[in-house]
């Protein structure tokens, strides 16, 4: 969907969601208007009916009062209720019946009785028809309000974005609206301001509060070449940022789109509810017709028979059934968004509760994805040792080299000559007349440099999952530096929580077995599948699926096929766009605790869906026989139907109290 965004969507996001907000508001306002007008017209009808038919006060003669009721009722049913009538009667032409079919038929038949009542053929139910439609419109308003409330979370996300930007144009600072930023523009962000869009720092240094994205309370330090995300807050320095993503491509726009997608998708149980509705409505139509003929045959009372048929049609309207799933799903995905759990595909909420096995990628998912120096071991002065190592490593672009340079944190570096990168093995060069070699065991074996005296320490480093860089000066070992990608702070806690809940956990990684097992043992994962090529990850997930449903958690481009293959794909929000695209659930905070929260949210939401379906059916099961038996007046039937919808909406909103 995101590869070929339609122009409309692009326009919507460029206007920072004004369209979505107004669409949501428009629907609520439209139903509110209908609600007000329907009751303005229905209240005189109710007063007239109560006065004449209950208290026996003769305000008008019978024919006049029927004409007044028909006149006031017409706009309620055929103007304010037009969309319901149209959608309801479409079912009779397409033979695809929906909720509105019963209401449309019920109100139409009841309204027609008014005309027959003028000739004293049947009792007049036309006033009842108006009240049924007024109550139905009230239910629709409550429903649109609930949907609107679920969409408040999207509004909150939209409000996070900056509204304007200070762009450098021909050496001058110009304020422009967000929609006018172009890729490549240089934006100036002063302390305390929001960063307007995703970009890369080209000048300046500062700390940036990225808590809305990462959940980290400590600000992230930013310098030249650092990536920044729109809507995060610049803290203490001036940053010059080159825009790299704008409008619908930014991180924030992606998140908003994911939340929207999830709120519109259908869960398998919802499809089941839709199927039931498709069968249920025609059955009710048949029951209503049979009830009418039955009563008419046994009592000969035409008006009573029509009243009973109308009551059956009205009470059976499965509005609550249609609301049960979407409303719970909307509330659930809204709560998820607040907690940084973005449900992209609604069915993931249902599937998640069936998961037995959770498989994880290693780098960037369980671990930080950034190597760090974990230990330095040398038999010479450590300051001298690090000076030599960092002076050579400074000339390399390799991530491990950068890690060692950062760790040494020198003020000045020694001059290196004859520098050479030995691809996949290490580096060599000269400092003065001394020849320096830094590299792995393979390089030292190649150069036939003895590891005597260091063998056991190097083994210890390697067995703990470290990448080990050995340093030699004039063919004599000085020491070794252990570098490793450490687990994220909360990975161990998250995995303990999953084990407690009885999940089997597996690590699937392209890394070597020794490193993978070292990380796995630190976070408590028992099963490790290592040395897996990117294209094989999906096959490994498929093998695990023979044991039960699998969720896969990953963050890289190489994880995308596995995320798709898994029953539920959980992507890290800090990962690549492709991984996020492939995930069913996205964890914006990139913490594995989000996996536990997603499972809890899924179980809570699904429980609500089941409760809602129970309530929706319970009303019908109890009330339909009562209507057939003739003990349920059409008005009472409509109030009961509206009550079932309100119960469902209220029950779904109770989900907000759930701690995930």
């Amino acid at each position: 969907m995101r590869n070929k965004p339609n122009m409309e969507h692009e326009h919507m996001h460029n206007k920072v969601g004004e369209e979505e907000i107004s669409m949501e508001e428009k629907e609520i306002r439209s139903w509110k208007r209908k609600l007000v007008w329907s009751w303005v017209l229905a209240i005189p009808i109710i007063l007239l009916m109560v006065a004449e038919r209950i208290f026996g006060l003769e305000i008008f003669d019978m024919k006049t009062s029927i004409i007044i009721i028909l006149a006031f009722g017409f706009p309620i049913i055929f103007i304010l209720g037009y969309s319901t009538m149209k959608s309801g009667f479409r079912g009779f032409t397409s033979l695809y019946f929906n909720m509105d079919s019963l209401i449309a038929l019920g109100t139409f038949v009841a309204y027609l009785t008014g005309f027959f009542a003028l000739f004293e053929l049947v009792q007049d139910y036309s006033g009842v028809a108006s009240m049924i439609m007024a109550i139905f419109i009230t239910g629709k308003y409550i429903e649109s309000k609930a949907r609107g409330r679920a969409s408040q979370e999207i509004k909150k996300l939209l409000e996070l974005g900056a509204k304007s930007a200070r762009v450098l144009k021909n050496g001058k600072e110009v304020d422009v609206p967000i929609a006018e930023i172009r890729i490549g523009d240089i934006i100036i962000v002063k302390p305390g301001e929001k960063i307007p869009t995703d970009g890369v720092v080209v000048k300046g240094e500062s700390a940036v509060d990225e808590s809305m994205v990462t959940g980290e309370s400590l600000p992230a330090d930013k310098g030249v070449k650092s990536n920044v995300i729109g809507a995060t807050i610049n803290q203490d320095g001036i940053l010059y940022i080159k825009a790299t993503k704008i409008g619908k491509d930014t991180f924030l726009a992606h998140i908003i789109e994911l939340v929207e997608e999830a709120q519109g998708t259908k869960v398998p149980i919802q499809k089941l509810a839709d199927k039931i509705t498709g069968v249920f409505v025609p059955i009710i139509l048949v029951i209503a017709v049979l009830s009418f003929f039955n009563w008419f045959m046994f009592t000969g009372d035409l008006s009573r028979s029509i009243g009973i048929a109308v009551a059956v049609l009205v009470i059976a309207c499965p509005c609550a059934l249609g609301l049960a799933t979407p409303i719970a799903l909307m509330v659930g995905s809204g709560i998820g968004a607040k907690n940084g759990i973005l449900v992209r595909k609604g069915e993931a909420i249902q599937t998640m509760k069936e998961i037995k096995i959770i498989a994880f990628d290693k780098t960037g998912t369980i671990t930080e994805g950034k190597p760090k120096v974990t230990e330095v071991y040398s038999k010479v002065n450590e300051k001298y040792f690090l000076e030599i190592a960092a002076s050579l490593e400074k000339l390399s672009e390799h991530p491990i080299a950068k890690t060692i340079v950062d760790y040494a944190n020198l003020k000045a570096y020694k001059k290196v000559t004859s520098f050479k990168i030995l691809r996949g093995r290490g580096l060599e060069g000269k400092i003065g007349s001394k020849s320096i070699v830094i590299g792995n065991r393979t390089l030292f074996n190649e150069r036939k440099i003895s590891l005597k005296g260091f063998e056991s320490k190097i083994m210890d480093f390697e067995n703990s999952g470290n990448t080990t860089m050995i340093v030699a000066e004039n063919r004599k070992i000085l020491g070794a530096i252990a570098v490793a990608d450490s687990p994220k702070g909360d990975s161990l806690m998250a995995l303990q929580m999953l084990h407690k809940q009885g999940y089997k956990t597996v690590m699937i990684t392209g890394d070597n077995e020794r490193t993978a097992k070292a990380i796995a043992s630190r976070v408590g994962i028992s099963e490790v599948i290592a040395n897996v090529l990117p294209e094989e990850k999906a096959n490994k997930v498929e093998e695990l699926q023979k044991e039960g449903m699998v969720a896969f958690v990953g963050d890289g481009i190489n994880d995308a096929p596995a995320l798709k293959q898994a029953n539920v794909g959980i992507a890290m929000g800090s990962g690549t766009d492709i991984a996020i695209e492939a995930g069913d659930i996205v964890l914006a905070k990139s913490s594995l605790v989000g996996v536990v929260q997603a499972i809890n949210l899924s179980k809570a939401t699904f429980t609500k869906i089941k409760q809602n379906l129970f309530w929706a059916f319970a009303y019908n099961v109890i009330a339909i026989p009562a209507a057939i038996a003739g003990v349920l007046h059409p008005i009472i039937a409509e109030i009961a139907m509206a009550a079932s919808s309100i119960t469902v909406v209220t029950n779904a909103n109770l989900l907000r109290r759930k701690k995930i």
Side-chain angles (χ1 to χ4, degrees):
M1 177 179 160
R2 203 172 299 144
N3 299 345
K4 291 194 281 185
N6 58 23
M7 292 307 289
E8 200 178 318
H9 217 106
E10 196 167 326
H11 173 66
M12 285 203 292
H13 283 303
N14 283 352
K15 286 181 77 182
V16 194
E18 283 171 32
E19 293 295 322
E20 288 107 313
I21 292 171
S22 63
M23 277 298 288
E24 214 65 59
E25 280 300 313
K26 260 184 204 161
E27 192 186 356
I28 294 172
R29 281 179 197 158
S30 159
W31 282 113
K32 191 176 183 178
R33 256 197 318 275
K34 289 177 182 175
L35 168 92
V36 171
W37 278 108
S38 60
W39 285 108
V40 163
L41 294 163
I43 286 166
I45 296 175
I46 294 167
L47 294 174
L48 189 61
M49 284 168 66
V50 168
E52 290 190 348
R53 297 175 196 182
I54 296 175
F55 295 110
L57 303 172
E58 244 181 72
I59 301 170
F60 303 104
D61 66 81
M62 195 186 81
K63 281 191 178 173
T64 310
S65 75
I66 289 173
I67 289 166
I68 291 169
I69 289 170
L70 285 171
F72 274 79
F74 184 84
I76 300 176
I77 296 168
F78 299 103
I79 298 172
L80 301 170
Y82 175 73
S83 57
T84 307
M85 299 300 279
K86 185 179 163 192
S87 142
F89 281 112
R90 196 185 293 133
F92 291 92
T93 54
S94 64
L95 292 180
Y96 180 76
F97 299 104
N98 60 9
M99 328 270 160
D100 296 342
S101 307
L102 299 178
I103 285 294
L105 189 65
T107 48
F108 186 66
V109 169
Y111 185 76
L112 281 185
T113 59
F115 290 100
F116 292 121
L118 287 173
F119 306 104
E120 296 179 18
L121 295 171
V122 296
Q123 195 183 334
D124 171 30
Y125 283 109
S126 59
V128 172
S130 307
M131 284 152 68
I132 288 171
M133 189 57 85
I135 295 171
F136 182 76
I137 288 170
T138 308
K140 279 289 193 186
Y141 168 67
I142 292 168
E143 177 189 334
S144 70
K145 199 84 170 129
R147 283 179 201 277
R149 193 169 159 200
S151 299
Q152 292 296 322
E153 279 87 11
I154 293 183
K155 285 187 203 174
K156 286 189 191 110
L157 287 170
L158 289 163
E159 282 158 13
L160 288 173
K163 304 291 175 267
S164 65
R166 193 179 295 109
V167 176
L168 203 58
K169 287 197 174 165
N170 308 323
K172 284 188 183 154
E173 293 183 19
V174 189
D175 278 332
V176 300
I178 287 292
E180 287 176 25
I181 296 178
R182 295 288 165 260
I183 288 176
D185 279 356
I186 304 295
I187 302 160
I188 301 161
V189 185
K190 295 188 175 165
E193 293 182 339
K194 271 184 188 173
I195 293 171
T197 192
D198 298 5
V200 63
V201 177
V202 290
K203 184 177 156 194
E205 285 185 345
S206 182
V208 174
D209 175 0
E210 296 190 324
S211 55
M212 57 120 351
V213 176
T214 60
E216 289 294 328
S217 49
L218 291 174
D221 291 325
K222 301 289 179 184
V224 175
K225 290 193 180 166
S226 296
N227 288 319
V228 291
I229 293 171
T232 56
I233 298 160
N234 182 24
Q235 300 218 303
D236 50 15
I238 295 181
L239 291 177
Y240 288 75
I241 295 162
K242 182 180 179 182
T244 54
K245 288 180 179 176
I246 54 169
K248 60 171 181 47
D249 294 322
T250 61
F251 181 83
L252 187 63
H254 273 193
I255 286 188
I256 290 162
E257 200 172 333
L258 298 183
V259 177
E260 284 173 340
E261 278 176 28
Q263 293 194 339
T265 54
K266 281 195 173 172
V267 187
I269 199 163
Q270 165 70 12
K271 288 177 187 154
L272 176 70
D274 289 350
K275 270 189 190 158
I276 292 169
T277 306
V279 176
F280 180 73
V281 175
I283 289 172
I284 292 301
L285 291 174
V286 171
I287 290 174
V289 171
L290 291 177
S291 303
F292 168 77
F293 281 116
N294 236 349
W295 276 88
F296 188 59
M297 275 167 63
F298 287 107
T299 64
D301 186 340
L302 181 62
S303 60
R304 177 102 202 267
S305 309
I306 289 175
I308 285 163
V310 168
V312 171
L313 288 173
V314 170
I315 189 60
C317 174
C319 307
L321 188 62
L323 265 178
T325 304
I327 223 73
L329 202 58
M330 283 186 142
V331 175
S333 57
I335 294 166
K338 269 189 189 154
N339 287 280
I341 301 157
L342 308 163
V343 182
R344 281 197 65 208
K345 296 193 170 65
E347 50 262 43
I349 288 240
Q350 184 172 346
T351 315
M352 195 71 189
K353 64 170 199 9
E354 313 276 346
I355 295 295
K356 300 279 179 282
I357 302 161
I358 302 174
F360 300 87
D361 163 54
K362 180 180 80 74
T363 310
T365 302
I366 293 172
T367 66
E368 297 282 3
K370 295 186 193 93
K372 284 193 177 102
V373 172
T374 55
E375 202 181 327
V376 173
Y377 177 74
S378 71
K379 289 193 175 169
V380 294
N381 176 322
E382 190 171 299
K383 186 170 179 288
Y384 174 73
F385 175 71
L386 286 172
E387 253 179 0
I388 286 179
S391 296
L392 253 81
E393 297 284 11
K394 183 134 183 44
L395 303 174
S396 164
E397 287 292 310
H398 197 279
I400 289 177
K402 190 179 180 318
T403 303
I404 293 170
V405 171
D406 289 349
Y407 180 81
N409 194 18
L410 302 180
K411 295 280 180 284
Y413 296 88
K414 293 183 178 292
K415 188 167 186 284
V416 177
T417 55
S418 313
F419 176 76
K420 200 170 168 194
I421 291 175
L422 308 164
R423 195 67 63 211
R425 302 191 304 287
L427 317 162
E428 65 179 351
K430 285 191 161 182
I431 294 177
S433 62
K434 291 171 178 170
S435 139
I436 311 292
V437 175
I438 303 178
N440 54 22
R441 189 189 279 271
T442 312
L443 179 61
F444 277 67
N445 290 343
E446 258 177 34
R447 296 286 161 98
K448 299 193 167 54
I449 299 172
S450 162
L451 300 176
K452 200 172 173 210
F454 289 87
E455 189 74 68
S456 69
K457 194 66 191 171
I458 292 168
M459 282 289 283
D460 282 353
F461 281 176
E462 288 176 346
N463 288 337
S464 305
N466 293 287
T467 300
T468 308
M469 303 312 287
I470 310 162
V471 183
E473 181 184 81
N474 291 341
R475 298 185 61 80
K476 181 175 177 285
I477 293 191
L478 299 181
I481 302 169
V483 177
D485 179 11
S486 306
K488 291 177 182 171
D490 51 12
S491 289
L492 173 64
M493 181 176 78
L495 281 146
Q496 282 172 340
M497 288 157 97
L498 291 171
H499 292 144
K500 217 181 204 169
Q501 290 189 24
Y503 292 98
K504 176 181 172 179
T505 57
V506 182
M507 182 196 284
I508 303 178
T509 177
D511 217 333
N512 67 69
E513 191 142 350
R514 194 188 275 170
T515 306
K517 283 197 163 150
I519 293 288
S521 67
R522 282 173 69 182
V523 294
I525 290 182
S526 49
E527 192 175 329
V528 176
I529 305 171
N531 298 313
V532 179
L533 294 170
E535 55 274 23
E536 285 175 0
K537 276 192 177 180
N539 302 342
K540 296 293 177 195
V541 169
E542 202 174 342
E543 283 169 31
L544 287 172
Q545 282 171 323
K546 290 172 188 159
E547 297 173 44
M549 283 209 180
V550 176
F552 181 81
V553 190
D555 74 324
I557 293 172
N558 60 340
D559 296 324
L563 286 163
K564 277 276 176 233
Q565 173 64 41
N567 300 90
V568 177
I570 302 174
M572 291 294 188
S574 60
T576 59
D577 286 359
I578 295 173
I580 289 172
E581 188 68 47
D584 303 311
I585 293 174
V586 179
L587 305 178
K589 291 177 185 169
S590 295
S591 151
L592 289 187
V593 173
V595 177
V596 182
Q597 291 180 314
I599 290 169
N600 295 343
L601 177 70
S602 147
K603 286 179 176 168
T605 307
F606 199 72
T607 302
K608 279 288 169 236
I609 290 174
K610 286 198 295 197
Q611 286 171 2
N612 278 353
L613 290 172
F614 166 78
W615 283 113
F617 276 119
Y619 273 92
N620 286 343
V621 167
I622 295 161
I624 292 171
I628 296 168
V631 293
L632 205 62
H633 191 278
I635 283 285
I636 306 298
E638 176 53 32
I639 290 169
M641 188 210 77
S644 73
S645 295
I646 292 164
T647 307
V648 160
V649 171
T650 311
N651 187 42
N653 277 297
L654 289 176
L655 190 58
R656 293 175 194 279
R657 294 184 183 172
K658 189 84 183 156
K659 291 265 183 291
I660 61 164

